[in-house]
Amino acid sequence: MIDVMYFAWVRERIGLPTEQIETSAQTVADLVAELRAKEERYDAAFADITALRVAVDQELADFDAPLAGVREVAFFPPMTGG
Amino acid sequence: MIDVMYFAWVRERIGLPTEQIETSAQTVADLVAELRAKEERYDAAFADITALRVAVDQELADFDAPLAGVREVAFFPPMTGG
Amino acid sequence: MDVRVQSEPFDAGALLNDFSAGHKDVGAIVSFTGIVRDVADGLRSMEIEHYPGMTTKAIETIAADAMARWELTDVLIIHRYGALTAGEQIMMVATASAHRSAAFEAADFLMDYLKSRAPFWKKETTEKSASWVAAKNDDEAALDRWS
Amino acid sequence: MDVRVQSEPFDAGALLNDFSAGHKDVGAIVSFTGIVRDVADGLRSMEIEHYPGMTTKAIETIAADAMARWELTDVLIIHRYGALTAGEQIMMVATASAHRSAAFEAADFLMDYLKSRAPFWKKETTEKSASWVAAKNDDEAALDRWS
């Protein structure tokens, strides 16, 4: 079980801030593929992966990051702090 | 008559902050030459002109600046504000 | 190092004075305050979303990078989240150093990284519409200045 | 534009808050505070001499240059003269702009010019000796960054 979190317009498009997902995905990219296959709103949210960033266990990561032992994955647009 | 002012170590070396000088010097450099001829302490203060800066009527100027109509000339080392 | 992530307003002047107090080895203090600007259509509110589990850690990492890179005596970073209106202060950084250039550069560096590497997202609601503020290509390019 | 030359201490925090207040078109405020540092031999006092007839005018010219060069909403400059001790604030600049980079660059510019073009001279008296602070070649070189 992995906690998957969504922020900003990714959260709005998918329609929820967080969910627990039972997955055997090996990498973030695999997880994205699983999510896209799930429902249209996921497919739409992940359509352009270059517009998204990902954090694995609360640290910025790449989409090919492995998921072994990972507890939390978050998807969001580029940050706009400051 | 020109008001001549000295600041920082120039003031200390000459031994006074300001004086009125009757001069027919055409430029700042001429005035410096007059002052150096006056007394040893002036000669010492103006020995290395590259270590000095000059303001004419309260604006930074060059040593070849003309003195016609000028009321105030100030000599000082490079500034160390901030 | 002092990092605060909060929804409440802060008093930039009081924080600057506290930050400055009691450092006799410091010659230079630089502060930056970010303020919500009004927009053409009239800003009703600026909502700042963040990632609570990650925010403080991410900012501390950025602050530690700055302290490793410049001779800094201290760093302060405050960033708000929640609903803000035009004229409100969003965030503040302050840097203290023996050297002026270190204090300036580190504050500039902190701002570049907070903009693109701390998990905050801004949504503007105007009288006409609501939209997420898009990151600028410039924001990412700005980081190259420091590599 | 607010330029003050004074012997009295100032409250940097209160000044920063006053400076920030009431600007809804401003997104960025940068402040710099300069503090008297202690020295190896133990600083007894730092005497700042200035040229009263010229100081305010010279600083106003520097501030006007900055406002002509960057899109600034406002500039504040305070510089003290007289006898100061370690830990005391010597001077402060603040810049307000819609744009972060303008606020940072203008504050940095103001500091470079105040250092080399405003008529102040510092004399340090330590437990052992008294001497005028020498201008650094760097100070003059720093001005080339802006030309």
Side-chain angles (χ1 to χ4, degrees):
Chain A
M1 293 286 271
I2 290 181
D3 286 322
V4 181
M5 307 179 81
Y6 311 107
F7 292 97
W9 62 254
V10 183
R11 172 180 56 71
E12 289 181 342
R13 207 157 297 177
I14 291 177
L16 79 178
T18 181
E19 60 186 322
Q20 288 207 311
I21 294 202
E22 187 74 61
T23 179
S24 54
Q26 299 294 301
T27 66
V28 172
D30 291 346
L31 175 62
V32 169
E34 271 184 25
L35 290 167
R36 291 190 69 170
K38 213 166 118 164
E39 271 179 63
E40 167 57 28
R41 59 201 166 107
Y42 289 92
D43 194 44
F46 288 105
D48 179 11
I49 211 82
T50 66
L52 294 180
R53 299 291 177 270
V54 61
V56 169
D57 282 343
Q58 308 180 349
E59 292 203 4
L60 284 172
D62 293 320
F63 280 86
D64 57 4
L67 290 185
V70 163
R71 292 183 307 184
E72 188 171 308
V73 174
F75 296 102
F76 40 77
M79 307 174 221
T80 53
Chain B
M1 293 285 271
I2 290 181
D3 287 321
V4 181
M5 308 178 81
Y6 311 107
F7 292 96
W9 61 254
V10 183
R11 172 180 55 72
E12 289 180 342
R13 206 157 297 177
I14 290 175
L16 79 178
T18 181
E19 60 186 321
Q20 289 209 312
I21 293 199
E22 186 73 60
T23 180
S24 53
Q26 299 294 302
T27 66
V28 172
D30 291 346
L31 175 62
V32 169
E34 268 185 28
L35 290 167
R36 292 190 68 170
K38 209 165 121 164
E39 270 179 66
E40 167 57 27
R41 59 200 167 108
Y42 289 92
D43 195 43
F46 288 104
D48 178 11
I49 211 83
T50 65
L52 294 179
R53 300 290 178 269
V54 61
V56 169
D57 282 341
Q58 308 181 346
E59 293 203 3
L60 284 173
D62 293 321
F63 281 86
D64 58 4
L67 291 185
V70 163
R71 291 182 307 182
E72 187 172 309
V73 174
F75 296 101
F76 40 78
M79 306 173 219
T80 53
Chain C
M1 196 201 299
D2 185 356
V3 170
R4 308 184 200 180
V5 178
Q6 62 185 49
S7 60
E8 302 74 36
F10 57 86
D11 181 334
L15 286 164
L16 179 66
N17 282 349
D18 288 350
F19 184 75
S20 305
H23 286 303
K24 287 213 171 179
D25 49 339
V26 161
I29 289 175
V30 168
S31 80
F32 177 91
T33 315
I35 297 166
V36 180
R37 262 198 291 169
D38 208 350
V39 295
D41 291 343
L43 187 73
R44 207 183 291 157
S45 91
M46 160 84 84
E47 181 80 29
I48 300 176
E49 182 168 332
H50 78 124
Y51 181 174
M54 179 175 167
T55 315
T56 303
K57 267 196 302 191
I59 297 177
E60 282 171 353
T61 300
I62 294 168
D65 284 354
M67 296 198 76
R69 200 162 167 140
W70 286 278
E71 247 180 81
L72 303 176
T73 316
D74 207 355
V75 166
L76 164 73
I77 301 174
I78 299 185
H79 204 301
R80 293 176 65 191
Y81 58 87
L84 283 74
T85 55
E88 277 195 84
Q89 298 178 330
I90 306 177
M91 51 83 61
M92 172 179 184
V93 309
T95 54
S97 175
H99 307 289
R100 175 163 67 98
S101 61
F104 264 115
E105 287 174 20
D108 204 5
F109 169 94
L110 289 172
M111 289 305 306
D112 277 344
Y113 275 82
L114 286 171
K115 215 163 210 24
S116 307
R117 292 290 182 273
F120 292 100
W121 299 274
K122 295 193 184 109
K123 187 179 195 174
E124 285 176 355
T125 302
T126 69
E127 298 301 329
K128 290 190 180 164
S129 63
S131 62
W132 292 94
V133 173
K136 298 194 189 78
N137 288 334
D138 285 1
D139 296 343
E140 205 56 35
L143 301 188
D144 294 340
R145 292 199 288 156
W146 309 106
S147 62
Chain D
M1 196 199 305
D2 184 357
V3 170
R4 309 185 200 182
V5 179
Q6 62 185 49
S7 61
E8 302 76 35
F10 57 86
D11 182 335
L15 287 164
L16 178 66
N17 282 349
D18 288 350
F19 184 74
S20 305
H23 285 302
K24 288 214 173 182
D25 50 338
V26 160
I29 289 176
V30 169
S31 80
F32 177 91
T33 314
I35 298 166
V36 181
R37 261 199 291 168
D38 207 350
V39 296
D41 291 343
L43 187 74
R44 208 184 291 158
S45 90
M46 160 84 83
E47 182 80 29
I48 301 175
E49 183 168 331
H50 78 125
Y51 181 174
M54 179 176 168
T55 316
T56 303
K57 267 195 302 192
I59 297 177
E60 282 171 353
T61 300
I62 294 168
D65 284 354
M67 295 198 76
R69 198 161 171 144
W70 287 277
E71 246 179 83
L72 302 176
T73 316
D74 206 357
V75 166
L76 164 73
I77 301 174
I78 299 185
H79 204 302
R80 292 176 64 191
Y81 58 86
L84 283 74
T85 55
E88 277 195 83
Q89 297 178 330
I90 306 176
M91 51 83 60
M92 173 177 184
V93 310
T95 53
S97 175
H99 307 289
R100 175 163 67 98
S101 62
F104 264 116
E105 287 174 19
D108 204 7
F109 170 94
L110 289 171
M111 288 306 305
D112 277 344
Y113 275 83
L114 287 170
K115 216 166 207 26
S116 307
R117 292 291 182 271
F120 293 99
W121 300 274
K122 296 191 184 109
K123 187 179 194 174
E124 285 176 353
T125 302
T126 69
E127 297 302 329
K128 290 189 178 163
S129 64
S131 63
W132 291 95
V133 172
K136 297 191 189 82
N137 289 333
D138 285 1
D139 296 342
E140 206 53 37
L143 301 188
D144 294 339
R145 291 199 288 155
W146 309 106
S147 61

